[in-house]
Amino acid sequence: MKKFVIDKKSIVFYLISIIGILVVDQLTKVIVEASMQLASSHTIIDKFFYFTYAQNKGAAWSMLEGHVSLFILIGFVAGIGMIFYFLKTKENEILTRFGLVLAFAGMIGNVIDRVRLGYVVDFIDFIILGYDFPIFNVADMALVIGLGLVILEVLLEGRNNG
C-alpha cells in the first residue's frame, strides 16, 4: 500500500484555501443578512444577475425542509468521507485533491449556517435564457466547483487509461 504523500507547501495552500472560502462565504452571508430584508432583491445585471436574500431550510432547492439535524449529520459524515478520500489520493491527483478541499470548505460553510441559524443563507440569483436558477451562495459554488474538479479528473484519468 502506497503511503499518503503531501508536502508542507500544499498543506498550507489547502488550509489557506479552506479558511479563505469560509471567510468569504460567512462574511458575504453576514453582509446580506445585515443589509437586506428576506426575499428582497437587488439588480446587478437586469434580467440576468441579482442578489436575492433567501433562507434555505432544506437541502438543494429546499428539499426536505425542516430537517436541520439530518443535514448537520450528513455534513459531518460527508466531511469524514471527503477527508478519507483525500487521504487515499495519489500525489499526482491534483484536481481531485483541490476539488475535495473546495467541496469540504463549501460543506463546512453551509453546516456553520445550519448550526448557527437553522437555515442556509443564499443570495446569488441568476436568470439564464429565461430559467431562474435556484438561489445559492459562495459555499455552494465551492462545493459544486470542487465536485466538478473531482469528476473531471476521474474522466481524464479514465480517458488516459482507456
Side-chain angles (χ1 to χ4, degrees):
M1 183 168 163
K2 190 173 180 178
K3 184 180 170 191
F4 176 74
V5 178
I6 189 165
D7 58 280
K8 289 179 185 176
K9 192 170 150 181
S10 293
I11 291 171
V12 170
F13 174 71
Y14 293 146
L15 288 175
I16 289 171
S17 297
I18 290 170
I19 292 166
I21 290 165
L22 287 173
V23 167
V24 171
D25 177 61
Q26 292 299 303
L27 185 61
T28 55
K29 290 172 179 176
V30 166
I31 291 168
V32 166
E33 287 184 297
S35 65
M36 296 180 72
Q37 295 291 321
L38 183 61
S40 67
S41 188
H42 294 294
T43 302
I44 307 302
I45 301 173
D46 193 32
K47 297 180 181 152
F48 177 67
F49 180 38
Y50 304 85
F51 283 161
T52 304
Y53 177 23
Q55 296 175 350
N56 186 346
K57 297 179 181 179
W61 300 283
S62 294
M63 292 186 298
L64 298 172
E65 193 169 309
H67 294 86
V68 176
S69 298
L70 174 65
F71 296 123
I72 292 169
L73 177 64
I74 289 170
F76 181 73
V77 171
I80 290 172
M82 283 185 247
I83 292 168
F84 180 75
Y85 188 39
F86 184 92
L87 294 173
K88 293 287 188 183
T89 60
K90 297 175 189 137
E91 196 171 346
N92 66 331
E93 294 176 317
I94 297 165
L95 292 178
T96 296
R97 285 183 174 185
F98 190 60
L100 289 167
V101 165
L102 291 175
F104 185 79
M107 180 272 307
I108 293 293
N110 284 337
V111 166
I112 289 170
D113 280 15
R114 284 185 167 79
V115 169
R116 185 173 70 91
L117 304 167
Y119 56 85
V120 174
V121 174
D122 288 329
F123 61 93
I124 301 169
D125 187 6
F126 281 100
I127 298 173
I128 301 175
L129 300 174
Y131 178 72
D132 191 0
F133 282 84
I135 302 168
F136 58 98
N137 59 46
V138 173
D140 295 333
M141 288 189 312
L143 196 81
V144 170
I145 292 167
L147 294 177
L149 289 174
V150 172
I151 292 167
L152 178 62
E153 184 150 81
V154 168
L155 293 173
L156 291 173
E157 188 175 285
R159 187 173 145 200
N160 291 338
N161 292 336

